[in-house]
Every structure is written in structure tokens, then in C-alpha cells.
Amino acid sequence: MEQFGLFIGWMIGLFGLVILVAWLTAIFIERDSMSYDEQFVWLRKVDSDQ
């Protein structure tokens, strides 16, 4: 039973890290895409109030 608890702990940690990395990657892509669009597509800075 002790091994099962250790296994569950490792799985929670592993999936927690995967979710954290996916979330941070999504934030990075969103911000980077907006910066790229402002600079090269729209050729202007967009207000961040929207």
C-alpha cells in the first residue's frame, strides 16, 4: 500500500508539472503572437485596454 501512495504522489507531481508547462507555454504564445501582430501585421501598437 505504501508503494501505491508513492506512485500516486509521483503521478500528481508529474501531471502538475505537465499542466504548468502547458499553461506557461500558452501564455507565452499568446503574448508573443500579439507582439508579432502589432509589429508586422497591423504596423501599430494596440491599446491594452481592450
Side-chain angles (χ1 to χ4, degrees):
M1 195 63 161
E2 180 182 330
Q3 291 178 349
F4 182 71
L6 187 60
F7 174 74
I8 295 298
W10 275 101
M11 288 294 105
I12 290 171
L14 176 65
F15 284 111
L17 285 174
V18 169
I19 290 170
L20 177 65
V21 168
W23 179 60
L24 292 174
T25 302
I27 290 172
F28 171 75
I29 289 172
E30 180 183 355
R31 289 185 182 167
D32 189 53
S33 294
M34 182 64 78
S35 176
Y36 177 86
D37 289 346
E38 288 173 349
Q39 186 175 4
F40 297 109
V41 177
W42 303 323
L43 302 176
R44 64 181 174 90
K45 185 76 172 159
V46 177
D47 294 334
S48 61
D49 298 345
Q50 299 174 11

